[in-house]
Amino acid sequence: MGSCNACCHRLPRTLLRSSPSLFPSSSSSNISIPRRIHFPFCPPKSIRNIYTSGEHFTWDDVVQFAHDDSSDVLRGYFDKVTLCNRNSEKQSEFIPFMIEGQIVGYVHNRFSLNLQRYKDVFMLLEDTSGNSNFGCHVALHPVLSSSEDRTKAVGNVIKCLGENLIPGIRNELYPVTSSFGTPEFFSLERAAAPFFGIKVYGVHMNGYVERDGEKYLWIAKRSKVKSTYPGKLDHLVAGGLPYGISCGENIVKECEEEAGIPRSISSTATAVGAVSYMDIDGYRLKRDVLFCYDLKLPEDFIPTNKDGEVESFKLVPVTHVANIIRNTQLYKENCNLVIIDFLFRHGYIKPEAFGYLKLLKSLRSGDCT
Amino acid sequence: MGSCNACCHRLPRTLLRSSPSLFPSSSSSNISIPRRIHFPFCPPKSIRNIYTSGEHFTWDDVVQFAHDDSSDVLRGYFDKVTLCNRNSEKQSEFIPFMIEGQIVGYVHNRFSLNLQRYKDVFMLLEDTSGNSNFGCHVALHPVLSSSEDRTKAVGNVIKCLGENLIPGIRNELYPVTSSFGTPEFFSLERAAAPFFGIKVYGVHMNGYVERDGEKYLWIAKRSKVKSTYPGKLDHLVAGGLPYGISCGENIVKECEEEAGIPRSISSTATAVGAVSYMDIDGYRLKRDVLFCYDLKLPEDFIPTNKDGEVESFKLVPVTHVANIIRNTQLYKENCNLVIIDFLFRHGYIKPEAFGYLKLLKSLRSGDCT
């Protein structure tokens, strides 16, 4: 904990900016490094790596950005919201996935061709609801009337489609519903969720400490061997919401596994709202809703990771975290939204900043139901 | 302060419910008072008055509802959101009010007939934007090109229309903009704002105290002689955002006037987000955005009203305030939204409650820009 302040020497302003475009160029042409800058922690080449790959950086690299509060007040935040909501103009390429008259997801029109081979599981039906640009929707075969049958049949198709079409199979099931809290129609492999555009729910927790009236956030740095977002910055605790567990129970479970927080402390975590986004990437349509939690931790608490998913933790003043969010892409994308929500609720973003309401609204750009 | 807990004896559950309908009947037919209930504070007749008039009630009446936590978990909150968002199906009766190509408000198609007499100020123009159901929009005469000229000319029309058409003239000006923070096109009398459907912004502050780990909210009871919502419950501090003052400055000003909170304390008020609603009542279209603030007050602070708008204050446990919101209509309508937002952010409403996301979303039912 103490090392945070010790190493946060003040650096000259305007080192780097995150790109305003969705797909930052891999060249370093838009990196402006003013002359006569002293780099106490890493040479310019290393900074380029931070910017372009987002993986190969150290805590020392991170803190360089923590003091840089020179950028347009809200611009860097808007960029991060945009990163989580790519290609919204391509929604029209997706066909509704309907069960029992309700939309539970969306399938890319070209991906749906892969499903048509499995006629005893998937059907392409004429759409009378007006929900589809293609005049049709994807449905399950009516013989699959129970949740168990659907889960098994769809699971078998996903296995047949294989890693080429649906990479990263985790053998972890997510509930398929029309909205949160409604009965599950069936359960779907986590890696397949974006290919079927189902709503996925998660819990994200900002763990913070208050010391002498100033707030500090615990940042996790993901393990370099994690299959997703290796080495990126993350919340102290976060996780998807699998089948059959409530948000509150899940937070307590993840607190124990990811940060070694005992139930006596984690049970005081406070539900504070939700953010949402809709991201299109090829055949993948993510419709994620993240339930946000705050946990005020004792000043002397030190997190310890137990499941090997976190490389290390660091306690950083919230004002510095805000600069890291605005100035870099070092955080796992969706964490940005939850931290921006934290910044709103704790008064770090003020109505006087131009774009306040627009940014606030953008935190629920996805279908937040 | 101490009197709050002293008088909060526990009462039998299920006394009264707020009506789920938009316009509660003035009869007491839907008030169900179970037999064998002891009323330590007031007789049944008084309770009927609370319910039907919303004005003639005392603090003792209020606390009766504070312990009643038996209703459907979120139902009472949804009812209050609905109260602030009436008649949305009648949006189509309104014509856009446009200045310099931007929509700044909406005018009821029949109310617009009153404006047509003032041809040197208002014009009805053909609409090419597709924004209007009537194929036209209301505009200002092009000769009125400056903010000052528009303010004066429209102000004169409002005076001519008189109290019959626009009651409650306050001689208080609100800025007319397309969205928050953009340049003002002109300034409009506050009482006329809903007749022109302009966006109106306000600041609402929840003042709270933390004692032994439990949070308490300060409730204000409005003066019985106030022209609007006399005798209703209110926030500790709230006000419209007039022309030429920032949200933060306005909070400090209102804190001093409404609750005698010195700048040394009020300057620590935290901006925490915003709520919005759209309410249609006859010719009136309210499009209000309320910036929400939290202020943690010292335990021994006692508010004192200085502008005569508040009759008295009371400190009430947040859990009891939640029950008052759910079970009654004693609060000024829009305060309900800001307090429900507080309940979300402070963990009093949890994701496990069915309808959590829907209720959260509903707090910004209006155009929150």
Side-chain angles (χ1 to χ4, degrees):
Chain A
M1 275 161 62
S3 65
C4 162
N5 286 326
C7 67
C8 280
H9 302 304
R10 186 161 275 280
L11 276 184
R13 295 180 170 190
T14 318
L15 288 187
L16 294 175
R17 297 279 167 271
S18 59
S19 167
S21 77
L22 286 173
F23 304 104
S25 156
S26 61
S27 80
S28 58
S29 61
N30 53 359
I31 299 176
S32 154
I33 302 175
R35 293 181 183 193
R36 300 195 310 183
I37 280 184
H38 173 55
F39 295 94
F41 301 112
C42 55
K45 185 168 177 289
S46 166
I47 291 184
R48 282 191 206 109
N49 285 340
I50 292 171
Y51 183 73
T52 52
S53 76
E55 290 168 20
H56 308 299
F57 61 86
T58 68
W59 283 117
D60 283 347
D61 297 325
V62 172
V63 296
Q64 294 199 35
F65 299 96
H67 290 288
D68 182 3
D69 56 4
S70 60
S71 60
D72 283 353
V73 181
L74 302 188
R75 173 62 178 269
Y77 300 135
F78 276 114
D79 292 344
K80 303 311 172 302
V81 173
T82 305
L83 270 180
C84 291
N85 293 279
R86 295 172 301 171
N87 301 318
S88 60
E89 73 283 3
K90 294 188 177 171
Q91 286 180 67
S92 59
E93 296 176 5
F94 288 78
I95 302 170
F97 176 24
M98 297 184 74
I99 302 181
E100 296 177 14
Q102 297 194 55
I103 295 178
V104 298
Y106 295 89
V107 178
H108 194 277
N109 67 82
R110 286 199 295 277
F111 184 80
S112 73
L113 302 177
N114 298 306
L115 304 180
Q116 288 178 35
R117 280 183 288 156
Y118 305 93
K119 293 192 189 306
D120 51 344
V121 180
F122 290 102
M123 304 168 72
L124 208 61
L125 297 180
E126 190 182 355
D127 192 85
T128 54
S129 66
N131 290 314
S132 172
N133 284 311
F134 294 89
C136 60
H137 66 263
V138 174
L140 293 181
H141 195 287
V143 79
L144 302 169
S145 59
S146 75
S147 170
E148 293 72 19
D149 288 349
R150 292 164 180 163
T151 301
K152 197 174 167 189
V154 176
N156 284 336
V157 171
I158 289 163
K159 273 183 204 147
C160 291
L161 292 174
E163 277 281 328
N164 273 347
L165 275 172
I166 300 180
I169 301 286
R170 295 181 178 210
N171 296 312
E172 192 180 331
L173 293 176
Y174 274 180
V176 176
T177 62
S178 57
S179 60
F180 188 69
T182 56
E184 287 114 8
F185 293 110
F186 70 103
S187 299
L188 181 68
E189 160 61 33
R190 178 174 179 167
F195 291 95
F196 289 87
I198 69 161
K199 298 276 283 293
V200 168
Y201 301 90
V203 289
H204 278 228
M205 193 190 83
N206 281 303
Y208 72 101
V209 165
E210 205 157 352
R211 189 194 288 164
D212 299 330
E214 187 176 8
K215 287 175 185 153
Y216 297 73
L217 270 172
W218 274 106
I219 306 181
K221 193 168 186 306
R222 294 165 72 90
S223 162
K224 287 193 187 75
V225 296
K226 261 194 83 85
S227 60
T228 54
Y229 311 100
K232 280 243 174 183
L233 302 183
D234 204 337
H235 288 292
L236 180 58
V237 166
L241 195 64
Y243 177 79
I245 185 168
S246 75
C247 291
E249 288 167 27
N250 204 25
I251 275 289
V252 169
K253 178 179 143 298
E254 297 280 357
C255 273
E256 175 64 28
E257 291 173 5
E258 296 196 344
I261 304 171
R263 181 178 286 268
S264 59
I265 296 176
S266 62
S267 60
T268 67
T270 305
V272 292
V275 299
S276 64
Y277 54 95
M278 191 195 70
D279 186 71
I280 295 175
D281 178 19
Y283 292 168
R284 292 183 180 91
L285 172 54
K286 274 193 184 174
R287 298 195 301 147
D288 292 359
V289 176
L290 309 180
F291 292 96
C292 307
Y293 282 78
D294 280 1
L295 177 59
K296 189 175 178 181
L297 288 156
E299 279 192 49
D300 58 356
F301 178 79
I302 306 281
T304 47
N305 178 249
K306 295 190 176 179
D307 60 8
E309 296 193 355
V310 177
E311 179 191 280
S312 57
F313 298 98
K314 195 167 192 67
L315 190 66
V316 179
V318 173
T319 51
H320 294 187
V321 175
N323 290 334
I324 293 167
I325 297 279
R326 293 194 303 153
N327 300 329
T328 78
Q329 294 179 14
L330 302 186
Y331 263 101
K332 175 170 173 278
E333 279 84 342
N334 62 4
C335 296
N336 289 297
L337 303 185
V338 181
I339 295 176
I340 295 170
D341 177 73
F342 182 94
L343 297 174
F344 267 109
R345 289 182 294 98
H346 290 260
Y348 292 90
I349 300 176
K350 294 186 168 61
E352 285 74 12
F354 183 71
Y356 180 89
L357 291 172
K358 189 177 173 192
L359 182 63
L360 184 67
K361 188 179 175 185
S362 75
L363 295 180
R364 296 193 204 131
S365 293
D367 176 10
C368 202
T369 62
Chain B
M1 276 162 61
S3 65
C4 161
N5 286 326
C7 66
C8 281
H9 302 303
R10 186 161 273 280
L11 277 183
R13 295 180 170 191
T14 318
L15 289 188
L16 293 176
R17 296 279 167 272
S18 58
S19 167
S21 77
L22 287 174
F23 304 103
S25 155
S26 61
S27 79
S28 58
S29 61
N30 53 359
I31 299 175
S32 153
I33 302 175
R35 292 180 183 192
R36 299 196 310 186
I37 280 184
H38 175 54
F39 295 95
F41 301 111
C42 54
K45 185 166 176 289
S46 165
I47 290 185
R48 280 192 209 108
N49 285 341
I50 292 172
Y51 184 73
T52 53
S53 76
E55 292 168 19
H56 308 298
F57 61 86
T58 67
W59 283 116
D60 283 346
D61 297 325
V62 172
V63 297
Q64 294 197 37
F65 299 97
H67 290 287
D68 183 3
D69 57 3
S70 61
S71 61
D72 284 353
V73 180
L74 302 187
R75 174 61 179 269
Y77 300 134
F78 276 114
D79 292 345
K80 302 312 171 302
V81 173
T82 305
L83 270 179
C84 292
N85 292 280
R86 295 173 300 172
N87 301 317
S88 60
E89 74 282 3
K90 294 187 177 172
Q91 285 179 68
S92 58
E93 296 176 5
F94 289 78
I95 302 170
F97 176 25
M98 297 183 74
I99 301 180
E100 295 178 16
Q102 296 194 56
I103 295 179
V104 298
Y106 294 89
V107 178
H108 195 277
N109 68 83
R110 286 198 295 277
F111 184 80
S112 73
L113 302 177
N114 299 305
L115 304 179
Q116 289 179 33
R117 280 183 288 156
Y118 305 93
K119 293 193 190 305
D120 51 344
V121 180
F122 290 102
M123 304 168 70
L124 208 61
L125 297 179
E126 189 181 356
D127 192 85
T128 53
S129 66
N131 290 314
S132 172
N133 285 311
F134 293 88
C136 60
H137 66 263
V138 174
L140 294 180
H141 195 287
V143 78
L144 302 169
S145 59
S146 74
S147 171
E148 292 72 21
D149 288 349
R150 292 163 180 164
T151 301
K152 197 174 169 189
V154 175
N156 285 336
V157 170
I158 288 162
K159 274 184 203 146
C160 291
L161 292 174
E163 277 282 328
N164 273 347
L165 275 171
I166 299 179
I169 300 287
R170 297 180 176 211
N171 296 313
E172 191 179 330
L173 292 175
Y174 274 180
V176 176
T177 62
S178 56
S179 61
F180 189 70
T182 56
E184 287 114 8
F185 293 109
F186 71 103
S187 299
L188 182 68
E189 158 62 33
R190 179 174 177 167
F195 292 94
F196 289 87
I198 69 161
K199 299 276 284 293
V200 168
Y201 301 89
V203 288
H204 278 229
M205 192 190 82
N206 281 303
Y208 71 102
V209 165
E210 204 156 355
R211 190 192 288 163
D212 300 330
E214 188 176 8
K215 286 174 185 155
Y216 297 72
L217 270 172
W218 274 106
I219 307 181
K221 193 167 186 306
R222 294 164 72 90
S223 162
K224 288 194 187 73
V225 297
K226 260 194 84 84
S227 60
T228 55
Y229 311 100
K232 281 244 175 184
L233 301 184
D234 204 337
H235 287 292
L236 180 58
V237 166
L241 195 64
Y243 177 79
I245 184 168
S246 75
C247 291
E249 288 167 27
N250 203 25
I251 275 289
V252 169
K253 178 180 142 301
E254 297 281 357
C255 273
E256 175 65 28
E257 292 173 5
E258 296 197 344
I261 303 171
R263 182 179 285 268
S264 59
I265 297 177
S266 62
S267 61
T268 67
T270 305
V272 292
V275 299
S276 64
Y277 53 94
M278 191 196 68
D279 186 70
I280 295 175
D281 178 18
Y283 292 169
R284 291 183 180 91
L285 172 55
K286 273 192 184 175
R287 298 194 301 147
D288 292 0
V289 176
L290 309 179
F291 292 95
C292 307
Y293 283 78
D294 281 0
L295 177 59
K296 189 175 177 180
L297 288 155
E299 278 191 50
D300 59 355
F301 177 80
I302 306 282
T304 48
N305 178 248
K306 295 189 175 180
D307 60 7
E309 297 193 356
V310 177
E311 178 191 280
S312 57
F313 297 98
K314 195 166 191 68
L315 189 66
V316 179
V318 173
T319 51
H320 294 188
V321 175
N323 290 333
I324 293 167
I325 297 280
R326 294 195 303 154
N327 300 329
T328 78
Q329 294 179 16
L330 303 186
Y331 263 100
K332 176 169 172 279
E333 279 83 342
N334 62 4
C335 296
N336 289 297
L337 302 185
V338 181
I339 295 176
I340 296 170
D341 177 73
F342 181 94
L343 298 175
F344 268 109
R345 289 182 294 97
H346 290 260
Y348 292 90
I349 300 176
K350 293 186 168 62
E352 285 73 14
F354 183 72
Y356 179 88
L357 290 173
K358 190 177 173 191
L359 183 63
L360 184 67
K361 189 179 175 185
S362 74
L363 296 181
R364 296 193 205 132
S365 293
D367 176 11
C368 202
T369 62

